[in-house]
Amino acid sequence: MTVVPTVALTGVTKRFRGTAALDDVHLTLGPGITGLLGPNGAGKTTLLRITATVLTPGAGEVVLFGTRPAGPEQLAAVRRRLGYLPQEMGHPRGFTGFGFVDYMAVLKEWTDRAARHAEVRRVLELVDLDGVAARRVSALSGGQRRRLGLAQALLGDPDLLLLDEPTTGVDPGQRVTLRQVLSRAGERSTVLLSTHQTEDVAALCDRVVVLDGGRVRFDGAVADLVATAAGRVWLADAPDPAARASWRTGTGRHRVVGQAAPAGAEPAEPTLEDAYLLLLGERARTTGVAA
Amino acid sequence: MSPRGVDPVAVGGASAVGAVLLAGCVLAAGDGPPYAWLHLALVPPAVAAAFVLDEPAAAAADAVPSSLRRRTAGRLAALSVPCGLWTAGVAAVAVRAPGTAVGALLVSAGGVLALTLAAAAVLRRAGVAEPGEAVAAGAGGLLLATLVFAPAAVPMPPEGTLAWAVAALAGALVVTLATGGGAWPRRPGSPPRVLARRRR
Amino acid sequence: MSAVLARPAPSTRGATLRTLAAAEARRYARSPVFLAGVLLLLWATATSLGDLDDAGGDLAVVPAACLGLAGVLVGHSLTRSTSRPGDAVRAAPADGALRTAALALACLVPGAVALAWAVWVALALAAADLPVAIGWGRQAGMLATGVVAAVGGPLVGVLVGRWTRFPGAGLVAAVVLTGWTLACTAGLMMTATRWGTLVHLNAPFATWTSADGPDAPPWLAGGSPWWYVAYQVALCGLAATAAMVHEATGARRTRLWRVLAVLAVVAVGCLALACAADPTRVFL
C-alpha cells in the first residue's frame, strides 16, 4: 500500500514584484515534526502560507492529503484538516480569549454549541490559558496572545499543523509546556514548525529543512545537520576574526565556529545553531538567527 | 516641527472627500447658503483631526526625548490642508451667496476640530496609541446626527458664535493640558496616574 | 492534559452560516454605536410622537439615521474586525463569501429593531385617530422605507469594510450616503413631474413630505412608496452581493457577478415603477 504524504510540494515558485520568495521548492512531509529554519526573508512564511492554502503558488504543484485543492469544496475539505498559526495575527476587538477561540471554532465548522465549547476549553487548557480565558484579548500579554493563536490552530486536533514562530514572546516555562503539546501533536499529525529558535527545533524535530533565498539548502535529519558541524566548533581564549562566528560565552571563553581551529583552542560539542551558521555562512550572521 | 508620522491616507483621503463636498457646496450656493451641505463638508476635516494624533509606534515614540506636546504640535501642521480647504470653500461659497455667515462657519468649524482633537489627545494621554478610529466615529457620528436631528447646531446662527468660540478655546486648552507636563502617556495596564501618586 | 475530542463531522454550509450569523448578530447587538443608535431612536421617536400629524410616515428618517447611518459604522467596524486575524481566518474552512454572508445576515438585527419601531409608530398613529389623508397603504410604505434603510446602511458598511482598508472608510461611506440623500432632495424643489420624482427617489433613502415655504401647507411627494421600498431592497441586495464578490473565487464569483447584474436590472426596474406612479403632489 502506498502511503500518501500529507504535504507534497513540487517545483513551487512564488515571486513578489519580481523577487523570488520561493524558487523551485520540492518538499514532502509526513507525520512527525519538521523544523523550518532560515534567515529573515528566506521564504519560510511564504512556504507556510502556500501550504495553508491562503496563498497560491506562481508555479509548481501543491498536493495536500493526496489532492490538489482547487475549487471551494476541495479547499474546504483540506482546511478542515489543517491548523495554522500565522506569523502575525491580530485579534478582533472586544473579544475575550474564550470568545476569540470560540469564534475561530465556528469558522472551523464546529456548529454544535456544547461540543464547540468543550473543544475550546480543551485547547485553552492545552496552552495553559484556561485561567485567563474570560479576560479580554487586549488585556493579555504578548506571550499569552501567541498561545491564544496556537490554541485556535490546535482546534479539532488537525492532521496538518503549520506554525509560524509559535514561541515568539513566550517565557521559558511556557515554551516547555508548548513543546509537550507539540510533541504530542507530532505523534499522529504532520507538524511544520517555522522558527528562529534552533533549540526548539533541536528539542522537538526529527527532521529539519533549511531555506535560504527561496531555495531548500538542507533537508534531512536534525542529527545529520548537527553532524556537519563536527570538528568545526571550538572553545578558545580569544575571539577569532577569521571564523564564521565567534562570541564570548558566560564562562569568559570564546566559542568559535569556523573551518580552522584557532591557536590553543579545544574542540566543543556542536549544536544545531553551529551547524546552521556553518551551512548559511555569512548570510546567517548578517541576517540573524536568534540564539 | 513637521507632520511626520501622520497617516497621509487618512488626512489626504479626508481632505479629498472634503474638497469634493466643498465643491458641491459652491455649486449649490447659487440658491443661497447651502448650510446642510456645509455641515456635511465639516465631517471630513473632523475625521482628519481625529486621526492626526494616531501613533502606531507610541510605545517607542513615548520614550524619545521629544515631548508629546512638541510632537503633537508638529502633527497639527497636517491639519493645515483640510482647514485651508475648508476656509477656501467657505470663502468661495460666500462669494456666490453673499448672505453666508462666514464668521460663524469658521468659528464653529474651529470648535468642532478643537473638540475632536481634545478627545483624541485625552485618549492618547490615557495610553491609546491610535485613538483615531474611535474619535472619528464619535465626532463624525455626532455631526451626522446633528445634521439630521438638530441642523441648526452646526453651523450655528450668529448668536451662537460665542458658544462655539468657547468650545474651541476649551478644546485647545484640553489638547495643551493632555499633551503637556513632564509625565509620559499612561501605558495600558498601568494604574491611573492619581492612584500611582497616592501609592507614592 | 485532557483527552482529545473527536473532530466535528463536516457541517453543511447552511449550518455553518447559521452559527456564524448568530455569532455576528450577537456582536452587532453589543456594538456601542448600535446601542447608542437605539437610544437615540427611542428618544427621537418619543419626542416626535407627541407632535403627530398625518404625515407621520416621514418619521422613517429616525430609524434611517439612528440605525441605518450609524449602521454604516457598525457594519464597517465588524467587518474590519473579523479580518484582523488575517491568515488564520483565511485558512479556515468557512470561506470569505460565507463569512461575508454571515455579516450581511447580522445586519438584520437593526432591521428587526426598526421593524418593531415601525409597528410601534403604526399603532401610535392608529391610536391617535388622526385623519389619514394619504391612506394606510401609503403610510405603511413610507414607514417601511425606514426599516429597509436600517438594514441597508450596515450592508454598505460591510461592503466598504470588505473592499477598502483606509482608516475612516466607514465614516466616509456614511458621508457619501448622506450626501447622496441630500442631493436627491433637489427633486422636491422641482416641478411635480416624473423626472422630478426620479431625481427625488433615486436616493438610498427619501423623505416624502415638503412645503413650498415656511408658512405654506405641507404636501406629499408623488411616486409609489412600495415600489421605492422594492428599489431599496434591491440596493441592499446589491450591497450584500458586491461585498460577497470580494472573497469569492472561481465559479462562485462568476455566479455572484451574474446575481449583481440581475439585481442592478431589478433595482432600475423598481425605481422606474416607483417613478411611473402619479407624480402629483397631495396637499395635506
Side-chain angles (χ1 to χ4, degrees):
Chain A
M1 199 175 81
T2 316
V3 178
V4 178
T6 314
V7 177
L9 308 180
T10 313
V12 169
T13 299
K14 183 71 184 177
R15 290 178 175 277
F16 293 108
R17 293 180 184 170
T19 306
L22 288 179
D23 188 8
D24 194 28
V25 169
H26 296 258
L27 194 62
T28 304
L29 300 174
I33 307 178
T34 303
L36 185 61
L37 291 175
N40 294 330
K44 302 187 298 294
T45 295
T46 305
L47 180 69
L48 259 72
R49 294 186 75 204
I50 286 175
T51 313
T53 73
V54 296
L55 195 64
T56 50
E61 190 178 67
V62 179
V63 178
L64 300 170
F65 307 108
T67 59
R68 267 188 298 269
E73 284 77 22
Q74 285 163 316
L75 271 174
V78 165
R79 288 170 178 172
R80 279 182 195 114
R81 299 177 66 182
L82 73 82
Y84 177 39
L85 170 65
Q87 187 181 35
E88 287 176 8
M89 191 172 151
H91 297 88
R93 288 204 183 92
F95 272 109
T96 61
F98 185 94
F100 171 67
V101 181
D102 186 52
Y103 180 76
M104 293 303 296
V106 173
L107 292 178
K108 294 187 178 189
E109 299 182 335
W110 288 77
T111 49
D112 180 78
R113 187 185 162 93
R116 187 174 74 239
H117 283 191
E119 175 65 359
V120 171
R121 279 192 288 273
R122 182 187 75 88
V123 293
L124 286 172
E125 192 186 324
L126 275 180
V127 298
D128 214 7
L129 280 181
D130 44 330
V132 294
R135 275 197 214 157
R136 293 216 172 232
V137 178
S138 53
L140 298 179
S141 70
Q144 286 172 327
R145 286 189 210 181
R146 203 67 195 140
R147 283 187 276 144
L148 198 63
L150 182 60
Q152 64 79 27
L154 291 168
L155 280 166
D157 200 20
D159 294 324
L160 173 60
L161 196 51
L162 303 164
L163 306 172
D164 203 344
E165 300 185 24
T167 53
T168 304
V170 176
D171 68 59
Q174 289 301 332
R175 268 169 76 181
V176 172
T177 307
L178 294 189
R179 280 180 190 172
Q180 288 170 350
V181 173
L182 296 184
S183 62
R184 187 163 293 185
E187 287 170 11
R188 61 167 294 275
S189 306
T190 303
V191 182
L192 183 57
L193 171 69
S194 169
T195 182
H196 286 299
Q197 315 286 341
T198 49
E199 63 269 43
D200 282 344
V201 175
L204 282 168
C205 306
D206 35 13
R207 180 182 164 195
V208 62
V209 174
V210 181
L211 274 182
D212 184 28
R215 289 180 157 267
V216 175
R217 288 287 301 273
F218 180 90
D219 181 0
V222 173
D224 291 347
L225 181 56
V226 175
T228 63
R232 295 158 79 183
V233 184
W234 297 274
L235 283 173
D237 294 327
D240 182 4
R244 287 271 192 234
S246 165
W247 65 92
R248 188 179 181 278
T249 65
T251 62
R253 303 201 73 192
H254 292 259
R255 191 174 181 91
V256 179
V257 182
Q259 301 296 340
E266 58 188 69
E269 193 66 30
T271 63
L272 181 61
E273 185 184 53
D274 300 326
Y276 172 81
L277 288 170
L278 284 164
L279 178 71
L280 296 187
E282 280 301 307
R283 210 172 129 64
R285 204 168 57 172
T286 52
T287 52
V289 57
Chain B
M1 287 192 294
S2 78
R4 206 175 296 165
V6 174
D7 184 354
V9 177
V11 177
S15 300
V17 175
V20 171
L21 287 171
L22 284 167
C25 293
V26 176
L27 286 176
D31 302 327
Y35 284 125
W37 281 101
L38 284 164
H39 188 144
L40 193 62
L42 194 48
V43 179
V47 170
F51 280 102
V52 86
L53 298 190
D54 274 13
E55 198 154 15
D62 289 342
V64 301
S66 175
S67 69
L68 179 62
R69 182 180 287 168
R70 188 177 168 79
R71 282 180 282 131
T72 301
R75 286 168 162 269
L76 293 186
L79 283 182
S80 58
V81 178
C83 290
L85 281 170
W86 170 260
T87 310
V90 169
V93 166
V95 169
R96 280 184 49 100
T100 307
V102 176
L105 281 168
L106 294 179
V107 172
S108 59
V112 166
L113 295 194
L115 291 177
T116 307
L117 275 171
V122 166
L123 284 178
R124 182 72 184 80
R125 180 71 173 190
V128 180
E130 297 176 84
E133 207 167 320
V135 175
L142 279 174
L143 278 172
L144 291 175
T146 50
L147 177 61
V148 176
F149 296 111
V154 187
M156 67 298 153
E159 58 267 27
T161 310
L162 183 64
W164 275 112
V166 169
L169 286 174
L173 185 66
V174 170
V175 172
T176 310
L177 290 174
T179 58
W184 296 274
R186 197 170 76 86
R187 296 258 59 83
S190 64
R193 212 171 289 283
V194 177
L195 292 180
R197 209 171 290 141
R198 270 190 203 147
R199 279 178 203 169
R200 249 182 269 139
Chain C
M1 231 173 275
S2 53
V4 172
L5 295 180
R7 196 178 304 149
S11 307
T12 60
R13 273 178 81 80
T16 308
L17 179 62
R18 275 195 299 278
T19 315
L20 197 52
E24 298 294 8
R26 279 192 294 275
R27 294 181 65 211
Y28 197 111
R30 288 182 202 138
S31 159
V33 176
F34 169 68
L35 294 174
V38 171
L39 288 178
L40 189 59
L41 173 86
L42 294 174
W43 171 79
T45 310
T47 51
S48 305
L49 281 178
D51 187 25
L52 277 179
D53 55 26
D54 56 355
D58 253 3
L59 276 175
V61 73
V62 178
C66 299
L67 302 175
L69 209 50
V72 180
L73 304 183
V74 181
H76 178 260
S77 159
L78 285 186
T79 309
R80 294 308 310 152
S81 166
T82 51
S83 302
R84 283 168 72 91
D87 283 348
V89 165
R90 281 190 281 275
D95 60 30
L98 193 84
R99 295 197 305 273
T100 308
L103 282 164
L105 285 173
C107 297
L108 293 174
V109 169
V113 174
L115 188 63
W117 168 89
V119 172
W120 173 34
V121 170
L123 290 174
L125 284 172
D129 204 21
L130 290 166
V132 183
I134 56 174
W136 273 107
R138 197 158 183 170
Q139 185 80 277
M142 286 160 62
L143 286 174
T145 60
V147 178
V148 182
V151 178
L155 285 174
V156 170
V158 173
L159 170 68
V160 172
R162 273 285 174 257
W163 284 92
T164 66
R165 281 167 172 264
F166 65 90
L171 205 52
V172 168
V175 169
V176 169
L177 282 182
T178 311
W180 183 6
T181 305
L182 263 181
C184 292
T185 55
L188 294 173
M189 320 294 170
M190 298 165 76
T191 50
T193 60
R194 290 203 166 85
W195 171 246
T197 311
L198 178 65
V199 173
H200 170 220
L201 291 187
N202 82 80
F205 175 77
T207 51
W208 292 79
T209 53
S210 188
D212 297 325
D215 300 319
W219 45 258
L220 190 74
S224 161
W226 281 110
W227 279 116
Y228 178 70
V229 169
Y231 165 68
Q232 282 184 304
V233 171
L235 288 184
C236 289
L238 278 170
T241 313
M244 282 195 281
V245 165
H246 184 258
E247 292 197 40
T249 52
R252 190 169 288 154
R253 193 182 177 95
T254 312
R255 271 202 303 276
L256 286 172
W257 275 114
R258 284 191 195 127
V259 172
L260 266 181
V262 170
L263 282 171
V265 172
V266 170
V268 171
C270 291
L271 180 60
L273 287 167
C275 300
D278 186 5
T280 312
R281 288 164 182 170
V282 180
F283 281 88
L284 302 169

PDB file of all heavy atoms in Angstrom, chain C residues 190-207:
ATOM      1  N   MET C 190     -38.218  70.607  -7.516  1.00  0.00           N
ATOM      2  CA  MET C 190     -38.578  70.669  -8.928  1.00  0.00           C
ATOM      3  C   MET C 190     -40.096  70.569  -9.082  1.00  0.00           C
ATOM      4  O   MET C 190     -40.814  70.287  -8.125  1.00  0.00           O
ATOM      5  CB  MET C 190     -37.890  69.532  -9.696  1.00  0.00           C
ATOM      6  CG  MET C 190     -36.371  69.632  -9.640  1.00  0.00           C
ATOM      7  SD  MET C 190     -35.540  68.117 -10.136  1.00  0.00           S
ATOM      8  CE  MET C 190     -35.715  68.188 -11.891  1.00  0.00           C
ATOM      9  N   THR C 191     -40.561  70.799 -10.306  1.00  0.00           N
ATOM     10  CA  THR C 191     -41.998  70.674 -10.547  1.00  0.00           C
ATOM     11  C   THR C 191     -42.406  69.201 -10.456  1.00  0.00           C
ATOM     12  O   THR C 191     -41.575  68.307 -10.624  1.00  0.00           O
ATOM     13  CB  THR C 191     -42.352  71.210 -11.951  1.00  0.00           C
ATOM     14  OG1 THR C 191     -41.470  70.604 -12.878  1.00  0.00           O
ATOM     15  CG2 THR C 191     -42.239  72.714 -12.016  1.00  0.00           C
ATOM     16  N   ALA C 192     -43.674  68.977 -10.197  1.00  0.00           N
ATOM     17  CA  ALA C 192     -44.171  67.611  -9.963  1.00  0.00           C
ATOM     18  C   ALA C 192     -44.287  66.830 -11.276  1.00  0.00           C
ATOM     19  O   ALA C 192     -45.380  66.652 -11.819  1.00  0.00           O
ATOM     20  CB  ALA C 192     -45.508  67.669  -9.248  1.00  0.00           C
ATOM     21  N   THR C 193     -43.144  66.384 -11.773  1.00  0.00           N
ATOM     22  CA  THR C 193     -43.121  65.564 -12.988  1.00  0.00           C
ATOM     23  C   THR C 193     -42.466  64.233 -12.655  1.00  0.00           C
ATOM     24  O   THR C 193     -41.912  64.064 -11.561  1.00  0.00           O
ATOM     25  CB  THR C 193     -42.298  66.256 -14.096  1.00  0.00           C
ATOM     26  OG1 THR C 193     -40.967  66.415 -13.595  1.00  0.00           O
ATOM     27  CG2 THR C 193     -42.878  67.617 -14.463  1.00  0.00           C
ATOM     28  N   ARG C 194     -42.522  63.327 -13.612  1.00  0.00           N
ATOM     29  CA  ARG C 194     -41.869  62.019 -13.377  1.00  0.00           C
ATOM     30  C   ARG C 194     -40.359  62.203 -13.298  1.00  0.00           C
ATOM     31  O   ARG C 194     -39.668  61.477 -12.588  1.00  0.00           O
ATOM     32  CB  ARG C 194     -42.248  61.042 -14.493  1.00  0.00           C
ATOM     33  CG  ARG C 194     -43.699  60.633 -14.384  1.00  0.00           C
ATOM     34  CD  ARG C 194     -43.995  59.327 -15.066  1.00  0.00           C
ATOM     35  NE  ARG C 194     -45.299  58.837 -14.634  1.00  0.00           N
ATOM     36  CZ  ARG C 194     -46.447  59.209 -15.187  1.00  0.00           C
ATOM     37  NH1 ARG C 194     -46.468  60.055 -16.197  1.00  0.00           N
ATOM     38  NH2 ARG C 194     -47.593  58.735 -14.740  1.00  0.00           N
ATOM     39  N   TRP C 195     -39.818  63.144 -14.048  1.00  0.00           N
ATOM     40  CA  TRP C 195     -38.383  63.427 -13.990  1.00  0.00           C
ATOM     41  C   TRP C 195     -38.001  63.913 -12.589  1.00  0.00           C
ATOM     42  O   TRP C 195     -37.016  63.468 -11.997  1.00  0.00           O
ATOM     43  CB  TRP C 195     -38.019  64.453 -15.067  1.00  0.00           C
ATOM     44  CG  TRP C 195     -36.608  64.965 -14.950  1.00  0.00           C
ATOM     45  CD1 TRP C 195     -36.228  66.233 -14.650  1.00  0.00           C
ATOM     46  CD2 TRP C 195     -35.399  64.204 -15.098  1.00  0.00           C
ATOM     47  NE1 TRP C 195     -34.858  66.324 -14.606  1.00  0.00           N
ATOM     48  CE2 TRP C 195     -34.321  65.082 -14.872  1.00  0.00           C
ATOM     49  CE3 TRP C 195     -35.133  62.872 -15.393  1.00  0.00           C
ATOM     50  CZ2 TRP C 195     -33.004  64.680 -14.944  1.00  0.00           C
ATOM     51  CZ3 TRP C 195     -33.810  62.471 -15.453  1.00  0.00           C
ATOM     52  CH2 TRP C 195     -32.761  63.366 -15.239  1.00  0.00           C
ATOM     53  N   GLY C 196     -38.822  64.824 -12.039  1.00  0.00           N
ATOM     54  CA  GLY C 196     -38.585  65.320 -10.679  1.00  0.00           C
ATOM     55  C   GLY C 196     -38.668  64.180  -9.669  1.00  0.00           C
ATOM     56  O   GLY C 196     -37.880  64.103  -8.727  1.00  0.00           O
ATOM     57  N   THR C 197     -39.633  63.268  -9.878  1.00  0.00           N
ATOM     58  CA  THR C 197     -39.766  62.107  -8.981  1.00  0.00           C
ATOM     59  C   THR C 197     -38.530  61.217  -9.060  1.00  0.00           C
ATOM     60  O   THR C 197     -38.065  60.683  -8.050  1.00  0.00           O
ATOM     61  CB  THR C 197     -41.030  61.290  -9.352  1.00  0.00           C
ATOM     62  OG1 THR C 197     -42.131  62.190  -9.455  1.00  0.00           O
ATOM     63  CG2 THR C 197     -41.332  60.240  -8.315  1.00  0.00           C
ATOM     64  N   LEU C 198     -37.995  61.081 -10.277  1.00  0.00           N
ATOM     65  CA  LEU C 198     -36.779  60.251 -10.448  1.00  0.00           C
ATOM     66  C   LEU C 198     -35.600  60.857  -9.684  1.00  0.00           C
ATOM     67  O   LEU C 198     -34.854  60.145  -9.008  1.00  0.00           O
ATOM     68  CB  LEU C 198     -36.444  60.119 -11.941  1.00  0.00           C
ATOM     69  CG  LEU C 198     -35.180  59.324 -12.272  1.00  0.00           C
ATOM     70  CD1 LEU C 198     -35.340  57.867 -11.854  1.00  0.00           C
ATOM     71  CD2 LEU C 198     -34.858  59.404 -13.757  1.00  0.00           C
ATOM     72  N   VAL C 199     -35.454  62.180  -9.799  1.00  0.00           N
ATOM     73  CA  VAL C 199     -34.368  62.849  -9.062  1.00  0.00           C
ATOM     74  C   VAL C 199     -34.562  62.646  -7.560  1.00  0.00           C
ATOM     75  O   VAL C 199     -33.618  62.368  -6.818  1.00  0.00           O
ATOM     76  CB  VAL C 199     -34.329  64.354  -9.418  1.00  0.00           C
ATOM     77  CG1 VAL C 199     -33.332  65.096  -8.529  1.00  0.00           C
ATOM     78  CG2 VAL C 199     -33.975  64.548 -10.880  1.00  0.00           C
ATOM     79  N   HIS C 200     -35.812  62.729  -7.119  1.00  0.00           N
ATOM     80  CA  HIS C 200     -36.120  62.602  -5.695  1.00  0.00           C
ATOM     81  C   HIS C 200     -35.910  61.169  -5.190  1.00  0.00           C
ATOM     82  O   HIS C 200     -35.336  60.944  -4.123  1.00  0.00           O
ATOM     83  CB  HIS C 200     -37.581  63.046  -5.483  1.00  0.00           C
ATOM     84  CG  HIS C 200     -38.131  62.747  -4.126  1.00  0.00           C
ATOM     85  ND1 HIS C 200     -39.418  62.290  -3.934  1.00  0.00           N
ATOM     86  CD2 HIS C 200     -37.586  62.813  -2.892  1.00  0.00           C
ATOM     87  CE1 HIS C 200     -39.617  62.099  -2.649  1.00  0.00           C
ATOM     88  NE2 HIS C 200     -38.533  62.423  -1.994  1.00  0.00           N
ATOM     89  N   LEU C 201     -36.355  60.196  -5.967  1.00  0.00           N
ATOM     90  CA  LEU C 201     -36.419  58.819  -5.450  1.00  0.00           C
ATOM     91  C   LEU C 201     -35.189  57.964  -5.749  1.00  0.00           C
ATOM     92  O   LEU C 201     -35.137  56.814  -5.305  1.00  0.00           O
ATOM     93  CB  LEU C 201     -37.664  58.108  -5.988  1.00  0.00           C
ATOM     94  CG  LEU C 201     -39.006  58.616  -5.464  1.00  0.00           C
ATOM     95  CD1 LEU C 201     -40.139  57.728  -5.944  1.00  0.00           C
ATOM     96  CD2 LEU C 201     -39.012  58.686  -3.944  1.00  0.00           C
ATOM     97  N   ASN C 202     -34.216  58.454  -6.485  1.00  0.00           N
ATOM     98  CA  ASN C 202     -33.051  57.582  -6.729  1.00  0.00           C
ATOM     99  C   ASN C 202     -32.123  57.512  -5.516  1.00  0.00           C
ATOM    100  O   ASN C 202     -31.135  56.792  -5.513  1.00  0.00           O
ATOM    101  CB  ASN C 202     -32.307  57.986  -8.005  1.00  0.00           C
ATOM    102  CG  ASN C 202     -31.360  59.131  -7.782  1.00  0.00           C
ATOM    103  OD1 ASN C 202     -30.257  58.939  -7.283  1.00  0.00           O
ATOM    104  ND2 ASN C 202     -31.779  60.343  -8.109  1.00  0.00           N
ATOM    105  N   ALA C 203     -32.472  58.258  -4.461  1.00  0.00           N
ATOM    106  CA  ALA C 203     -31.653  58.245  -3.233  1.00  0.00           C
ATOM    107  C   ALA C 203     -31.796  56.913  -2.500  1.00  0.00           C
ATOM    108  O   ALA C 203     -32.784  56.211  -2.678  1.00  0.00           O
ATOM    109  CB  ALA C 203     -32.111  59.375  -2.320  1.00  0.00           C
ATOM    110  N   PRO C 204     -30.805  56.564  -1.660  1.00  0.00           N
ATOM    111  CA  PRO C 204     -30.951  55.344  -0.852  1.00  0.00           C
ATOM    112  C   PRO C 204     -32.037  55.486   0.212  1.00  0.00           C
ATOM    113  O   PRO C 204     -32.559  54.505   0.703  1.00  0.00           O
ATOM    114  CB  PRO C 204     -29.572  55.165  -0.219  1.00  0.00           C
ATOM    115  CG  PRO C 204     -28.964  56.522  -0.242  1.00  0.00           C
ATOM    116  CD  PRO C 204     -29.508  57.224  -1.436  1.00  0.00           C
ATOM    117  N   PHE C 205     -32.345  56.716   0.572  1.00  0.00           N
ATOM    118  CA  PHE C 205     -33.458  56.970   1.486  1.00  0.00           C
ATOM    119  C   PHE C 205     -34.092  58.301   1.088  1.00  0.00           C
ATOM    120  O   PHE C 205     -33.379  59.271   0.819  1.00  0.00           O
ATOM    121  CB  PHE C 205     -32.987  57.034   2.943  1.00  0.00           C
ATOM    122  CG  PHE C 205     -34.091  57.414   3.890  1.00  0.00           C
ATOM    123  CD1 PHE C 205     -35.042  56.479   4.268  1.00  0.00           C
ATOM    124  CD2 PHE C 205     -34.212  58.714   4.353  1.00  0.00           C
ATOM    125  CE1 PHE C 205     -36.091  56.840   5.102  1.00  0.00           C
ATOM    126  CE2 PHE C 205     -35.253  59.072   5.199  1.00  0.00           C
ATOM    127  CZ  PHE C 205     -36.201  58.129   5.574  1.00  0.00           C
ATOM    128  N   ALA C 206     -35.415  58.362   1.045  1.00  0.00           N
ATOM    129  CA  ALA C 206     -36.096  59.595   0.633  1.00  0.00           C
ATOM    130  C   ALA C 206     -37.164  59.965   1.647  1.00  0.00           C
ATOM    131  O   ALA C 206     -37.861  59.088   2.167  1.00  0.00           O
ATOM    132  CB  ALA C 206     -36.728  59.408  -0.737  1.00  0.00           C
ATOM    133  N   THR C 207     -37.247  61.257   1.953  1.00  0.00           N
ATOM    134  CA  THR C 207     -38.377  61.744   2.750  1.00  0.00           C
ATOM    135  C   THR C 207     -39.481  62.119   1.765  1.00  0.00           C
ATOM    136  O   THR C 207     -39.200  62.451   0.607  1.00  0.00           O
ATOM    137  CB  THR C 207     -37.980  62.976   3.584  1.00  0.00           C
ATOM    138  OG1 THR C 207     -37.359  63.916   2.727  1.00  0.00           O
ATOM    139  CG2 THR C 207     -37.025  62.597   4.690  1.00  0.00           C
TER     140      THR C 207
END
